[in-house]
Amino acid sequence: MIIHVDQPVVEVHDLTVTYERRPVLWDIDFTLPGGILAGIIGPNGAGKTTLIKAAMDLVVPGSGFVRLFGKSLKEVRSKVSYVPQRRTVDWDFPASVYDVILMGTYPSLGLFRYPRKAEKELALDALRKVELEDFKNRQISQLSGGQQQRVFLARALTQNADLFFMDEPFAGVDAATEKTIIKVLQELTSHGKTVVVVHHDLQSVAKYFDWTIMIHSRLIASGPTSQVFTPELVEKTYGGKLDLLTEVAHLLQTEKLPPRED
Ligand SMILES: Nc1ncnc2c1ncn2[C@@H]1O[C@H](COP(=O)(O)OP(=O)(O)OP(=O)(O)O)[C@@H](O)[C@H]1O
Ligand SMILES: [Mg+2]
């Protein structure tokens, strides 16, 4: 992996977000280089989803800003793809798997143009990549959670974006589906695309991510995983959460965490 530190793809500057006068993100400041697979970790309610929403202009920051490719989201909208947290989406919407995936090509189609062969091929290719060919005509309401997650991913792929924000793409999927998804994400970064993923499973952080962003309302750390995913910073990120401290202890036992660098 080549990291181009001089040209950040994501720049979060002094970002503060407040819901009903309660600040949930405080003074967040970091940049991400292009071509990396980055994980955002932090406990429930830490502000991970809010951070992605701020990048997608879905929440208005109290102060600060997010720039993507050095520009505002408006200017680079077609190059940015957002996959929301699965449970926040209405899956009763009457549409087939293929319809939903094909819809991903709409921004590139422009107004009043129907999908042609190229777009249809793009959709079929994405369907294959996420191994959902057999479910092409199934209504999305009749899919399992893991299958819905893959529909989301396929739809994002047809958008042909350069930057992907994904909110917990591995939530509630089995090991085989997780493998399929991570393979697709790694392929994207091998083509120079940047993928930012909200993640919950600390066991796989070191294995999956080139870069890790650790938040707990404030930014605890952001950097190459080998440098920031240390026991001290993990503990600081999840501080006080008993179950997670147990998890940290387990990680230490199995030596999945890098040694401390003094
Ligand atoms: N629309 C909203 N109005 C008021 N408070 C909100 C709203 N959305 C989120 N919050 C609060 O903001 C905080 C951060 O929420 P956020 O969804 O960003 O957390 P998260 O890190 O994604 O958590 P999880 O791991 O559970 O998905 C939480 O305390 C949440 O209750
Ligand atoms: Mg969330």
Side-chain angles (χ1 to χ4, degrees), residues 49 85 167-168:
T49 296
Q85 228 167 325
D167 204 342
E168 301 199 29

Side-chain angles (χ1 to χ4, degrees), residues 1-5 32-39 185-186 188-195 206-212 223-227:
M1 178 204 40
I2 305 158
I3 296 182
H4 304 280
V5 182
L32 295 183
I36 54 162
L37 181 49
L185 302 187
Q186 282 165 345
L188 288 171
T189 56
S190 76
H191 286 98
K193 316 241 173 188
T194 307
V195 182
K207 197 168 66 188
Y208 287 174
F209 302 112
D210 309 314
W211 196 278
T212 304
T225 303
S226 58
Q227 287 171 29

Side-chain angles (χ1 to χ4, degrees), residues 201-217:
D201 176 24
L202 296 178
Q203 307 267 4
S204 48
V205 169
K207 197 168 66 188
Y208 287 174
F209 302 112
D210 309 314
W211 196 278
T212 304
I213 300 147
M214 302 158 99
I215 60 168
H216 191 154
S217 295

